[in-house]
Amino acid sequence: MNAAPPKITPMLQQYLEIKEQYPDTILFYRMGDFYEMFFDDALTAAKILGITLTSRSAKDEANKIPMCGVPFHAVTGYLGRMIKAGYRVALCEQVEDPKQAKGIVRREVVRVVSPGVTTDDQLLDAKSDCYVCAASFSRKSAKEMLAGLAVVDVSTGRFQVSEVIFAPSDPAPLIDEFTRLRPAELILPQSELEEWTGLTDLLAAHLGQLCLTGRPDMHFDSRAALSALTEHFHTTSLAGFGCAAYTAAVNAAGALLLYLKETQKSELSHIKQLSPLNQGGFLIIDDASRRNLELTETLVGGQREGSLLFAIDRTATPMGARLLRRWLLFPLQEREQIEARLASVQELLQRPDARAAIRDLLDSIYDLERLCSRLVLGHGNARDMGAIKTSLAQLPAIHVWLAECTSPLLRAMAAEFDSLTDLHQLIDAAIRDDAPISLREGLLIKEGYHDELDRLLVLLRDGKQLILALETSERERSGLAKLKVGYNKVFGYYFEVSRSQAEALPDYFIRKQTLVNAERFITPELKELENSIATAQERRLELEYELFLQVRSQLVEHNQRLLAVADLLARIDVLACFAELAYRHRYCRPEINANRSLSIAEGRHPVIERSLEPGRFVPNDVHLDQERDEILIITGPNMAGKSTVLRQTALIVLMAHLGSFVPAESADICLIDRIFTRVGAMDDLRRGQSTFMVEMNETANILNNATENSLVILDEIGRGTSTYDGLAIAWAVVEELAQKDGIGIKTLFATHYHELTDLAATNARVQNYSIAVKEWNNTIIFLHKLIKGATNRSYGIQVASLAGVPEHVITRAYEILKNIEIGEFNLQGQPTIAAGKKSKKNAPRQLSLFTPPTHPALALLAAINPDELSPKQALELIYQALACLKASDP
């Protein structure tokens, strides 16, 4: 006999109905002081959160309903763990007073939290934007696809669109855009989730954890999307935002806006405009180059510490830190804008009093962007308002310092500065400094802000004194000196007099009880006061909550002013950060030229320099132009510093385009449109690519997309394959870089192929450089200095010795190297030393790592047909072969 199914109570029935509306989320269902989860949600949540899995009672084990729960006051931490695991969570709250509910208390989902849609500080990285992205795809031609992208950071209200053309067989341009933005969540049309599985898998490989969310196809319809956007922005079109031409991106933006409104249950009034994420006007750095240069995270481990961003981030506010990251990913390419930033940095550098004062004031400012967004979305509490008040208190002083600046950019900031004095006064007058996080526990509103609240506070604080004051008043009015107030649980407060005096009381005294020797009375005024005292606490909590919502609503009305000030403070913060960097680390102001030349004197690596003791880093000079020093072939041993010179050159150029001072004695930088790098050798197993394939993909990207205004950094091209194949590829790549479009591309090329140095003899724009070393007692000392001229040695064995390779292995390596260099090979193509004293008669033959060069005499013989030779020709051939043998005799 089958067991009966578990009984579904009204509460569980309500849970299942709500869950059906949010099938792709984990439903946190509020029950009293806990959020409960049931069925499969409970199984998933218990495992991720590490909490106890229980069950609701049932008659048999098979039909027990899995259940788990978390305390509502600690929900943020649990939400964070669910979000980091890639899940979306629907928060379901009680939206009805249990005292007034008829039957089950009504509940509704008040918001959905996902990896890309959250405003809680504990779930966000203060120094990085948190983007949710929507994508819409259409075919542009037989070989090209058009991707429309829309991204928004709900915590700040920044909403942008972009379009990318790519080939289905090569989605690299699209991957570059995604890896630059690094969205935490990607929204796609439901019908396309399976169609684009290959792309989403590739994105997951690049981005790590990526939350995919499917949405109804009709939300991506052009009419529905445009309608949603124009209705939200209260416009008739998107032309005023410069987005009308972004058809595919607008479709994605509309779908994204609908998703946000559905999940946040809010009008999103802090999202006031849609702006194009234009690629024009920015120096472009593709995904491979960002990784190779370790701009935002290290190549190994993906850590922020050790990256360029970590090294240059001296910002004082979270808004400034996020803006610095955006500037780093989107460097300027317009000379006027760069010069404006540099002038501002120079002024702040030359005015240490202003710089120090501004940075101290900024240090007291909280994350105004995200605080403002929390208010708009209805999540902001009194603590958030306190943080806003503290921040706004710093604005007048910042404005005073800014008004004294003379550089154009800082002067323009001073002109648009809004001190928000009215908002500061509002919060200061209304919100208590010691207000709790909860909005339902009172202690939110200051005394003196609202007359009715003040009266309630007096009742709660002075209730007994008010009762005694009424007693005194009635004594005087009645003339009965022994009239007194009493209290019991049956009648509450009452007046009591002796029976003999009862007849002397005024008519408004109402008899309630007769005792042996006394009479008890009440009056309308006494009962009204008693009721006021009894209900004061409840009314006070309701009124404080109402007043708080009114204050929050007033602040929300000015959210655009708050966001504008937050943006302005972020810009001031980054410029002051650049000035502080220049002061602390002796950075110089770069000159920005228009003559396509790049000269750096005493340049230093901004990250590596910081990891060494002061004075230990060896600076280097680099000059590139497109006349005589277009391609620098740099040779030298491993560990000598070739890669450091390459990377620091690219980083100095990049920092100059940010508008930052740079680590050098002087720098004259031309405007660069793209920076390309091919650095290091590493398998990319997640993407199914070998070391050599990674090298060739990155090299192909450079050769196909670099222009005369680009900077190319190449480190060890071709070493992922055989020696001669690698050398041939490297040679051909250098030739192409020197000849492309008739003018070539500025390039730094580090290599161990010393044969490449011969290119300088055939091409006037190729120059040889090397990293200097000093030989001493059969070892080497690294000088880390870039010098003119090539080297014909890699010192690999000496480096192996420095690394601790056993001495007998080093000695053996020298013997083999000697014989390889003098061409002593046996008939099997092995160095003759391989058959020496260390070989055993029956030992297996070691395959040569190198293809031996053909002996000139053998080459001569292989080229003739003996049957066709005359006697005289045969004799001449013998003499030629003898000459070859003598020439090769060591």
Side-chain angles (χ1 to χ4, degrees):
M1 183 176 179
N2 294 330
K7 181 181 179 181
I8 301 298
T9 64
M11 183 276 294
L12 280 176
Q13 182 63 39
Q14 183 189 63
Y15 171 88
L16 291 172
E17 289 172 357
I18 296 173
K19 174 66 180 175
E20 189 175 359
Q21 300 173 41
Y22 297 89
D24 57 347
T25 68
I26 302 296
L27 183 62
F28 277 34
Y29 181 84
R30 180 72 177 270
M31 292 182 65
D33 290 339
F34 283 82
Y35 287 103
E36 303 285 2
M37 288 141 276
F38 302 96
F39 301 102
D40 289 343
D41 280 6
L43 297 175
T44 301
K47 183 177 181 181
I48 293 172
L49 301 177
I51 57 179
T52 302
L53 180 68
T54 60
S55 62
R56 292 186 68 83
S57 60
K59 293 182 178 179
D60 59 279
E61 289 292 328
N63 289 315
K64 282 189 175 180
I65 298 171
M67 178 182 77
C68 67
V70 298
F72 84 96
H73 62 272
V75 69
T76 302
Y78 292 106
L79 277 177
R81 292 163 70 176
M82 295 300 301
I83 298 309
K84 287 179 181 177
Y87 288 89
R88 303 166 69 242
V89 177
L91 289 173
C92 181
E93 299 283 1
Q94 297 175 178
V95 294
E96 183 180 19
D97 188 342
K99 296 177 182 178
Q100 300 177 359
K102 295 180 179 180
I104 190 76
V105 176
R106 187 161 56 89
R107 293 177 174 86
E108 293 178 0
V109 171
V110 296
R111 63 177 169 132
V112 176
V113 182
S114 69
V117 185
T118 180
T119 58
D120 292 320
D121 290 341
Q122 296 182 39
L123 309 184
L124 293 168
D125 178 359
K127 293 180 178 290
S128 299
D129 292 297
C130 181
Y131 289 122
V132 55
C133 176
S136 176
F137 300 96
S138 61
R139 186 164 291 281
K140 188 173 178 65
S141 66
K143 296 182 179 180
E144 290 183 331
M145 296 292 295
L146 177 65
L149 307 180
V151 293
V152 66
D153 184 342
V154 179
S155 69
T156 63
R158 187 170 290 103
F159 195 9
Q160 297 174 298
V161 291
S162 176
E163 290 187 346
V164 179
I165 299 173
F166 68 100
S169 59
D170 180 22
L174 184 60
I175 297 297
D176 280 347
E177 193 70 6
F178 274 114
T179 53
R180 182 182 290 107
L181 297 169
R182 300 195 70 82
E185 183 175 3
L186 175 60
I187 295 172
L188 293 172
Q190 193 69 49
S191 63
E192 296 184 0
L193 276 178
E194 294 185 5
E195 180 181 347
W196 293 98
T197 299
L199 174 62
T200 55
D201 288 347
L202 192 58
L203 287 173
H206 281 79
L207 301 175
Q209 188 72 49
L210 178 64
C211 177
L212 289 174
T213 302
R215 298 290 291 162
D217 288 19
M218 62 181 181
H219 288 186
F220 290 81
D221 176 75
S222 57
R223 285 180 295 180
L226 183 61
S227 175
L229 292 167
T230 53
E231 181 180 341
H232 175 79
F233 294 120
H234 306 293
T235 60
T236 56
S237 73
L238 300 177
F241 299 125
C243 300
Y246 291 78
T247 308
V250 166
N251 295 346
L256 181 53
L257 184 65
L258 290 171
Y259 173 70
L260 295 179
K261 289 190 172 182
E262 180 180 307
T263 58
Q264 299 307 293
K265 310 293 183 181
S266 165
E267 290 302 313
L268 305 170
S269 61
H270 66 307
I271 300 178
K272 285 292 186 182
Q273 73 176 63
L274 185 68
S275 57
L277 188 66
N278 291 325
Q279 296 306 304
F282 295 108
L283 188 161
I284 299 174
I285 307 175
D286 59 29
D287 177 48
S289 297
R290 286 195 302 274
R291 286 186 287 109
N292 290 334
L293 293 175
E294 301 182 303
L295 296 189
T296 59
E297 59 185 29
T298 57
L299 195 57
V300 177
Q303 301 298 312
R304 190 174 188 274
E305 185 173 353
S307 67
L308 176 65
L309 179 60
F310 181 81
I312 67 173
D313 187 0
R314 292 294 180 272
T315 53
T317 68
M319 301 94 69
R322 292 194 296 272
L323 181 63
L324 174 61
R325 191 177 193 276
R326 290 195 294 273
W327 281 11
L328 187 60
L329 295 176
F330 295 93
L332 295 175
Q333 202 189 10
E334 294 184 6
R335 184 175 181 181
E336 288 185 4
Q337 294 182 40
I338 296 173
E339 292 287 6
R341 288 184 185 175
L342 290 173
S344 301
V345 174
Q346 180 150 3
E347 179 170 1
L348 291 172
L349 175 63
Q350 294 173 343
R351 294 188 57 198
D353 55 339
R355 184 179 74 251
I358 289 173
R359 283 175 55 81
D360 285 344
L361 292 165
L362 289 171
D363 197 45
S364 298
I365 291 179
Y366 291 84
D367 196 337
L368 283 177
E369 280 184 330
R370 288 180 173 171
L371 288 169
C372 177
S373 298
R374 283 173 55 79
L375 296 182
V376 171
L377 295 172
H379 308 156
N381 56 40
R383 295 275 181 88
D384 295 332
M385 288 192 189
I388 292 175
K389 185 185 81 168
T390 300
S391 302
L392 300 188
Q394 319 306 317
L395 299 187
I398 293 177
H399 189 199
V400 169
W401 282 106
L402 207 58
E404 296 178 359
C405 295
T406 58
S407 60
L409 187 56
L410 294 177
R411 196 166 62 245
M413 290 182 184
E416 65 177 283
F417 200 94
D418 183 353
S419 294
L420 300 177
T421 306
D422 54 331
L423 301 187
H424 177 269
Q425 290 174 347
L426 171 64
I427 300 173
D428 186 51
I431 305 301
R432 291 176 55 141
D433 294 333
D434 59 348
I437 294 176
S438 173
L439 301 182
R440 295 290 189 175
E441 297 176 3
L443 303 176
L444 299 173
I445 306 299
K446 282 184 176 180
E447 196 168 355
Y449 178 71
H450 191 271
D451 292 341
E452 173 63 13
L453 179 62
D454 290 347
R455 188 185 70 82
L456 294 172
L457 292 173
V458 169
L459 286 174
L460 289 170
R461 184 176 61 241
D462 304 324
K464 290 184 179 180
Q465 283 73 20
L466 292 173
I467 294 289
L468 292 175
L470 182 60
E471 178 188 72
T472 302
S473 174
E474 292 297 343
R475 279 179 183 173
E476 294 174 353
R477 188 184 307 179
S478 65
L480 300 176
K482 293 186 178 181
L483 180 71
K484 64 180 181 178
V485 171
Y487 176 83
N488 66 31
K489 293 183 179 179
V490 178
F491 300 118
Y493 286 100
Y494 56 82
F495 290 111
E496 183 177 292
V497 295
S498 65
R499 295 186 67 178
S500 61
Q501 293 180 319
E503 297 302 325
L505 288 173
D507 293 341
Y508 57 83
F509 275 74
I510 303 170
R511 181 178 278 106
K512 291 296 295 181
Q513 187 179 20
T514 301
L515 304 177
V516 176
N517 297 317
E519 297 274 2
R520 291 177 176 173
F521 296 83
I522 61 172
T523 66
E525 188 176 0
L526 178 63
K527 282 291 116 180
E528 183 181 352
L529 180 58
E530 180 183 357
N531 289 334
S532 296
I533 294 172
T535 60
Q537 179 63 13
E538 182 178 351
R539 175 57 185 148
R540 173 206 174 179
L541 295 179
E542 292 177 358
L543 183 57
E544 286 206 56
Y545 181 67
E546 291 171 7
L547 293 172
F548 175 83
L549 294 184
Q550 290 176 15
V551 174
R552 190 168 72 183
S553 177
Q554 292 180 63
L555 292 174
V556 168
E557 290 177 5
H558 298 278
N559 71 84
Q560 289 306 300
R561 292 174 63 198
L562 279 165
L563 291 174
V565 166
D567 177 67
L568 189 147
L569 292 173
R571 285 181 280 148
I572 296 171
D573 191 11
V574 177
L575 294 173
C577 159
F578 288 164
E580 187 70 14
L581 276 175
Y583 168 71
R584 289 190 182 189
H585 304 294
R586 298 182 300 105
Y587 287 3
C588 74
R589 177 174 178 169
E591 297 295 329
I592 308 299
N593 69 62
N595 56 19
R596 294 182 180 173
S597 68
L598 189 161
S599 297
I600 299 170
E602 300 286 286
R604 313 186 302 276
H605 194 294
V607 181
I608 296 177
E609 177 189 28
R610 212 79 56 77
S611 66
L612 301 176
E613 295 178 7
R616 289 291 306 277
F617 188 91
V618 178
N620 275 297
D621 300 344
V622 170
H623 175 77
L624 288 169
D625 56 42
Q626 285 173 294
E627 294 156 3
R628 289 191 52 81
D629 296 281
E630 183 173 68
I631 297 180
L632 307 188
I633 304 293
I634 304 175
T635 50
N638 287 314
M639 294 176 60
K642 297 191 302 296
S643 296
T644 298
V645 172
L646 266 60
R647 284 185 168 97
Q648 76 185 37
T649 302
L651 294 180
I652 288 171
V653 169
L654 172 60
M655 290 176 66
H657 282 72
L658 296 181
S660 169
F661 283 28
V662 299
E665 286 300 313
S666 66
D668 192 3
I669 309 292
C670 59
L671 290 175
I672 299 293
D673 62 356
R674 298 189 65 160
I675 294 177
F676 293 93
T677 67
R678 157 84 284 281
V679 178
M682 185 179 295
D683 290 337
D684 198 337
L685 300 179
R686 290 184 306 170
R687 304 171 208 170
Q689 296 179 346
S690 67
T691 298
F692 185 62
M693 181 56 76
V694 172
E695 279 191 37
M696 291 303 100
N697 282 340
E698 295 178 3
T699 303
N701 179 46
I702 293 169
L703 296 179
N704 290 325
N705 296 299
T707 73
E708 62 192 57
N709 295 316
S710 300
L711 174 65
V712 174
I713 303 296
L714 295 174
D715 193 356
E716 304 295 354
I717 285 290
R719 67 180 177 182
T721 185
S722 69
T723 302
Y724 292 121
D725 281 357
L727 174 57
I729 291 171
W731 188 289
V733 166
V734 175
E735 285 186 337
E736 173 64 13
L737 291 170
Q739 299 166 2
K740 187 175 182 183
D741 299 328
I743 191 170
I745 302 163
K746 290 181 285 293
T747 304
L748 294 177
F749 194 132
T751 184
H752 283 289
Y753 293 138
H754 299 114
E755 294 85 351
L756 292 179
T757 59
D758 292 342
L759 280 160
T762 60
N763 193 310
R765 296 202 296 265
V766 177
Q767 304 296 330
N768 288 324
Y769 281 80
S770 60
I771 303 294
V773 297
K774 181 178 179 61
E775 297 187 61
W776 180 262
N777 291 336
N778 210 30
T779 187
I780 55 173
I781 300 171
F782 299 115
L783 302 181
H784 303 293
K785 198 68 179 176
L786 185 67
I787 59 174
K788 182 79 173 178
T791 179
N792 60 358
R793 298 187 61 185
S794 290
Y795 298 97
I797 298 176
Q798 288 91 334
V799 173
S801 178
L802 291 175
V805 174
E807 186 177 350
H808 67 277
V809 176
I810 297 297
T811 302
R812 175 66 170 156
Y814 274 121
E815 293 175 349
I816 295 172
L817 177 64
K818 179 180 178 181
N819 285 279
I820 290 173
E821 288 176 340
I822 63 177
E824 292 186 5
F825 295 93
N826 61 19
L827 294 177
Q828 287 75 37
Q830 293 178 303
T832 53
I833 196 169
K837 59 184 179 180
K838 295 191 177 183
S839 299
K840 294 184 179 179
K841 184 175 181 181
N842 297 320
R845 187 188 312 167
Q846 172 67 44
L847 294 176
S848 174
L849 294 176
F850 305 94
T851 304
T854 303
H855 195 285
L858 294 176
L860 184 66
L861 294 172
I864 57 97
N865 184 350
D867 294 333
E868 297 177 354
L869 294 176
S870 66
K872 182 178 180 181
Q873 290 173 326
L875 186 59
E876 290 177 351
L877 185 64
I878 291 173
Y879 284 120
Q880 291 179 33
L882 287 173
C884 288
L885 289 172
K886 290 180 180 179
S888 62
D889 189 349

